[in-house]
């Protein structure tokens, strides 16, 4: 069981300046599975997952406390190269954000940053990534067309393909379907289901049904009193969380009594 | 309801009228210069040296001088201006020092150009011993337009959505890779527009070059960056006020050539900008 743990957090806390927004989070995130992070708006779900690829470094005055280990290595130790970390931990954002370049250019952007590739290798990466993200059939004839002309759902799958092209081990998804229509959402969910075979996925979502559909483990974050940091209320198998939560607050939240 | 519509109509036409006045004046100036200057334009006028005490012949040395000054100004001002803007927008934290830097830049753009000329004379010509030269003139003009280029570049960088930067960083790009591969290409059209405006201004400035480079009469073509040269704006001033009985059409011809040169640079800027914008849309 121990070998299955991909990410480990211990006494994790997060500060904006002197304000503590997250506290005491201990979590073991399993390899090749999908973990959902749920909780009311503003409880720090996005802040939490942005810790894993250190995107929070961009925020002035942000501070991390405790330990976050990926494959047993503390990613906030000084000798960690953020570039290597972000290669390993990809991220899909809330709104599709393809570059205003061609579909092809979007996908090869990452690989080109990290190593010299021949045209053949790049072509291959593009095809494989697009197939993995279930977009290949729709765009194979317009790889040199603008990514901005795709629909929102297609753009989001392109963004997933762009992440896959860098060959990550972990994929962070910050409400990846929140700006999409139901059909596009369905496709993204199917995709997450396929990808978890080979990747460790952490998804933040507002949508309870979505968390129940796509994830194996669910974590519930909650700020109990205004001004206090959010805490991890419950973290368990998704089945259990949604059918028989052990904490009253989790039950209240998922049954829609607040949040 | 009726009254509202009337007021709406009034402002509609009023704004149109005001805009029209602007266009009329701009077109008026251009057309006037063309009509007055056209008769002077000839192959000889733009390729020959002045003759008969500058009352005959051409203005080729002044054209070449202005061209060199434009090129020199671009070489000095563009890299410094763009790098400074990148620093301010992408790297500098929002603290008091940054605010002071920004405020200084804005204020520098309010300094009269004749003061720049005097500074150029004191610092470049005398202190650094460049003499009255293309080098001293270009540096002075570059300083003059730096605020324009910095401000325009910063504005252009600000229009690039943060989501692009985040996507790039999240893929493992360094900050510098993100700037060179995503942010700068996106901001390019705006940077070009600002630079063209700045360079156009530098090309037409008279006061700074009187102090630092422009010769009353220097028919010999420059042979180094330390040469003094004639330049169109100053030559125009000389023909119009310093030279009794200078033929009037030569003055207007000189003005027309200067106008054409500035418009030429503006056109290059527009073409480059349109092409990079088209590429963005199509690709």
């Amino acid at each position: 069981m121990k070998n299955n743990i991909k990410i480990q957090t211990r006494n994790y806390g997060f500060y904006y300046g002197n304000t503590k927004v997250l506290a005491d989070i201990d979590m073991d995130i399993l390899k090749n599975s999908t973990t959902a992070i749920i909780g009311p708006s503003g409880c720090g779900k996005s802040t939490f997952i942005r810790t894993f690829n250190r995107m929070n470094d961009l925020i002035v005055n942000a501070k991390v406390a405790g330990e976050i280990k990926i494959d047993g290595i503390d990613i906030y130790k000084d000798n960690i190269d953020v570039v290597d970390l972000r290669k390993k931990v990809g991220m899909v954002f809330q709104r599709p954000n393809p570059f205003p370049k061609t579909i092809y250019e979007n996908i090869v952007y990452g690989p080109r940053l990290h190593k010299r590739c021949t045209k053949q290798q790049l072509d291959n990466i593009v095809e494989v990534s697009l197939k993995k993200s279930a977009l290949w059939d729709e765009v194979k004839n317009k790889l040199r067309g603008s990514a901005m002309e795709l629909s929102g759902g297609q753009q989001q799958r392109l963004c997933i393909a762009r992440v896959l092209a860098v060959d990550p081990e972990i994929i962070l998804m910050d409400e990846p379907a929140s700006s999409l229509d139901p059909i596009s959402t369905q496709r993204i969910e199917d995709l997450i289901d396929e990808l978890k075979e080979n990747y460790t996925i952490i998804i933040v979502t507002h949508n309870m049904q979505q968390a129940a559909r796509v994830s194996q483990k669910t974590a519930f974050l909650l700020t109990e009193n205004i001004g206090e940091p959010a805490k991890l209320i419950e973290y368990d198998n998704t089945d259990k969380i949604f059918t028989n939560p052990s904490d009253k607050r989790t039950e209240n939240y998922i049954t829609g009594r607040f949040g | 309801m009726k009254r509202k519509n009337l007021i709406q109509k009034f402002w509609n036409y009023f704004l149109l009228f005001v805009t029209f006045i602007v266009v009329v004046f701009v077109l008026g100036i251009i057309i006037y210069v063309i009509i007055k200057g056209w008769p002077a334009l000839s192959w000889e006028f733009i390729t020959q040296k002045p003759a008969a005490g500058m009352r005959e012949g051409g203005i080729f040395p002044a054209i070449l001088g202005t061209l060199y000054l434009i090129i020199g100004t671009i070489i000095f001002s563009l890299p410094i201006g763009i790098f400074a803007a990148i620093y301010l927008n992408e790297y500098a934290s929002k603290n008091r020092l940054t605010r002071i830097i920004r405020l200084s830049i804005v204020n520098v753009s309010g300094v009269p150009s004749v003061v720049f000329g005097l500074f150029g004379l004191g610092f470049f010509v005398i202190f650094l011993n460049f003499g009255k030269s293309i080098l001293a003139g270009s540096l002075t003009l570059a300083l003059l337009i730096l605020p324009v280029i910095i401000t325009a570049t910063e504005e252009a960088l600000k229009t690039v959505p943060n989501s692009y930067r985040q996507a790039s960083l999240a893929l493992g790009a360094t900050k510098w890779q993100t700037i060179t591969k995503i942010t700068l290409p996106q901001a390019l059209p705006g940077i070009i527009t600002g630079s063209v405006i700045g360079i156009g201004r530098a090309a037409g400035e008279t006061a700074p070059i009187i102090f630092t480079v422009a010769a009353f009469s220097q028919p010999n073509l420059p042979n180094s960056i330390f040469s003094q040269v004639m330049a169109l704006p100053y030559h125009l001033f000389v023909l119009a006020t310093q030279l009794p009985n200078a033929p009037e059409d030569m003055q207007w011809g000189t003005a027309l050539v200067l106008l054409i040169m500035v418009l030429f640079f503006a056109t290059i800027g527009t073409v480059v900008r349109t092409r990079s914008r088209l590429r963005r849309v199509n690709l």
Side-chain angles (χ1 to χ4, degrees):
Chain A
M1 193 61 193
K2 185 88 179 152
N3 298 340
N4 255 339
I5 296 170
K6 187 74 182 168
I7 305 175
Q8 223 175 15
T9 74
R10 288 294 176 268
N11 294 322
Y12 169 87
F14 191 87
Y15 298 81
Y16 286 116
N18 291 322
T19 318
K20 196 169 193 181
V21 291
L22 289 166
D24 307 331
I25 299 180
D26 290 354
M27 259 175 93
D28 290 341
I29 293 171
L30 299 183
K31 198 174 175 180
N32 295 357
S33 71
T34 301
T35 303
I37 316 281
I38 60 169
S41 300
C43 74
K45 304 184 294 290
S46 298
T47 302
F48 181 49
I49 71 161
R50 280 163 178 255
T51 305
F52 300 127
N53 63 347
R54 290 186 53 172
M55 283 300 273
N56 287 330
D57 290 13
L58 304 176
I59 302 164
V60 190
N61 286 333
K63 239 180 16 229
V64 171
E67 258 183 12
I68 302 117
K69 287 184 174 173
I70 294 180
D71 294 330
I73 297 163
D74 191 333
I75 59 165
Y76 277 84
K77 282 272 150 56
D78 292 339
N79 56 354
I80 286 291
D81 184 352
V82 181
V83 166
D84 288 338
L85 175 69
R86 289 180 186 156
K87 250 165 75 180
K88 191 164 162 181
V89 187
M91 180 159 208
V92 178
F93 294 82
Q94 194 167 351
R95 284 181 182 283
N97 57 353
F99 300 123
K101 297 167 179 270
T102 63
I103 294 170
Y104 188 94
E105 290 283 331
N106 262 280
I107 294 175
V108 299
Y109 182 80
R112 264 192 190 149
L113 293 172
H114 303 304
K115 56 175 185 278
R116 223 167 241 297
C117 301
T118 62
K119 170 133 189 356
Q120 211 142 31
Q121 285 169 319
L122 290 175
D123 289 349
N124 191 43
I125 289 172
V126 169
E127 183 169 345
V128 171
S129 311
L130 284 171
K131 277 182 174 158
K132 277 191 199 161
S133 68
L135 191 59
W136 175 251
D137 289 331
E138 290 157 68
V139 301
K140 64 182 174 199
N141 294 322
K142 49 177 180 181
L143 294 175
R144 301 285 170 184
S146 170
M148 308 311 269
E149 278 158 29
L150 299 174
S151 73
Q154 288 173 324
Q155 286 187 4
Q156 195 60 302
R157 276 179 285 147
L158 176 65
C159 291
I160 293 173
R162 187 172 66 182
V163 169
L164 296 177
V166 188
D167 205 18
E169 294 168 23
I170 299 166
I171 303 174
L172 310 172
M173 297 189 174
D174 190 355
E175 300 183 48
S178 64
S179 65
L180 304 180
D181 62 83
I183 293 170
S184 300
T185 301
Q186 169 79 50
R187 305 194 69 157
I188 299 276
E189 287 180 10
D190 291 346
L191 186 56
I192 291 171
D193 211 44
E194 278 168 37
L195 291 175
K196 72 154 197 296
E197 303 294 329
N198 298 306
Y199 303 90
T200 305
I201 296 174
I202 303 171
I203 179 173
V204 165
T205 178
H206 261 124
N207 181 328
M208 232 67 69
Q209 288 79 19
Q210 185 171 66
R213 281 192 300 261
V214 300
S215 70
Q216 286 75 56
K217 290 268 194 181
T218 297
F220 173 51
L221 296 183
L222 177 67
T223 316
E224 280 193 283
N225 299 302
I226 292 170
E228 278 180 21
K231 290 182 175 157
L232 179 63
I233 302 297
E234 192 169 353
Y235 174 50
D236 212 327
N237 291 329
T238 299
D239 295 343
K240 177 141 189 310
I241 294 261
F242 282 95
T243 52
N244 185 22
S246 28
D247 197 293
K248 190 76 187 151
R249 293 165 292 186
T250 313
E251 191 183 331
N252 287 344
Y253 181 69
I254 60 172
T255 51
R257 246 164 265 171
F258 71 94
Chain B
M1 187 66 198
K2 258 222 150 98
R3 210 177 108 84
K4 262 191 196 162
N5 281 341
L6 262 170
I7 294 174
Q8 150 88 358
K9 256 209 172 97
F10 168 76
W11 283 107
N12 224 334
Y13 284 112
F14 180 75
L15 294 175
L16 180 69
F17 173 70
V18 172
T19 314
F20 188 68
I21 291 179
V22 175
V23 176
V24 165
F25 273 102
V26 171
L27 279 181
I29 292 171
I30 293 175
I31 291 170
Y32 194 70
V33 172
I34 292 175
I35 292 172
K36 297 281 266 185
W38 191 254
L41 281 199
S42 66
W43 186 244
E44 192 206 350
F45 186 66
I46 57 172
T47 57
Q48 296 297 309
K49 296 174 181 179
M54 300 204 285
R55 290 176 183 84
E56 281 172 32
I59 55 166
F60 181 65
I63 296 177
L64 200 65
T66 289
L67 193 68
Y68 283 149
L69 286 175
I70 290 176
I71 293 169
T73 306
I74 292 175
I75 290 172
F76 292 122
S77 65
L78 268 199
I80 296 176
I82 291 174
F83 284 130
I86 290 175
Y87 172 76
L88 283 174
N89 200 58
E90 307 290 323
Y91 286 92
S93 46
K94 290 180 176 53
N95 54 26
R96 175 178 287 212
L97 179 69
T98 320
R99 270 204 305 280
I100 292 174
I101 294 176
R102 279 221 178 78
L103 197 67
S104 324
I105 292 169
V106 172
N107 283 323
V108 166
S109 62
V111 173
S113 61
V114 66
V115 178
F116 275 94
L118 197 61
F119 172 77
L121 176 68
F123 188 66
F124 297 124
V125 177
I126 296 169
F127 182 71
L128 293 181
N129 207 17
F130 291 159
K132 274 184 102 178
S133 61
I134 298 176
L135 183 62
S138 302
L139 285 167
T140 308
L141 289 173
L143 283 185
L144 178 78
I145 65 165
L146 260 182
V148 180
I149 290 175
I150 293 175
T151 312
T153 305
E154 237 197 305
E155 289 305 316
L157 291 172
K158 277 197 189 109
T159 62
V160 179
N162 248 329
S163 64
Y164 295 165
R165 294 186 184 86
Q166 294 214 348
S168 172
L169 292 169
L171 286 168
T174 61
K175 196 161 188 170
W176 183 243
Q177 283 173 324
T178 302
I179 290 169
T180 54
K181 287 168 193 282
I182 301 292
T183 321
L184 267 187
Q186 282 302 303
L188 197 60
I191 295 174
I192 293 171
T193 309
S195 307
V196 165
I197 291 171
I199 290 157
R201 182 170 165 213
E205 277 293 344
T206 316
I209 61 172
I210 293 179
F211 291 94
T212 55
V213 52
F216 185 85
S217 170
Q218 174 54 279
N220 295 329
L221 300 182
N223 50 27
S224 86
I225 54 169
F226 293 105
S227 302
Q228 228 185 326
V229 288
M230 295 174 76
L232 287 170
Y234 183 54
H235 187 60
L236 177 58
F237 174 74
V238 167
L239 287 178
T241 65
Q242 308 291 300
L243 209 58
N245 308 323
E248 202 191 339
D249 66 336
M250 278 188 78
Q251 299 165 23
W252 288 105
T254 305
L256 182 55
V257 170
L258 180 58
L259 203 62
I260 290 171
M261 277 181 79
V262 173
L263 286 180
F264 176 71
F265 271 90
T267 311
I268 293 180
T270 313
V271 170
V272 175
R273 190 177 69 217
T274 318
R275 285 185 58 172
S276 71
R277 202 169 272 164
L278 278 181
R279 216 179 57 213
R280 258 198 320 182
V281 172
N282 290 340
L283 282 197

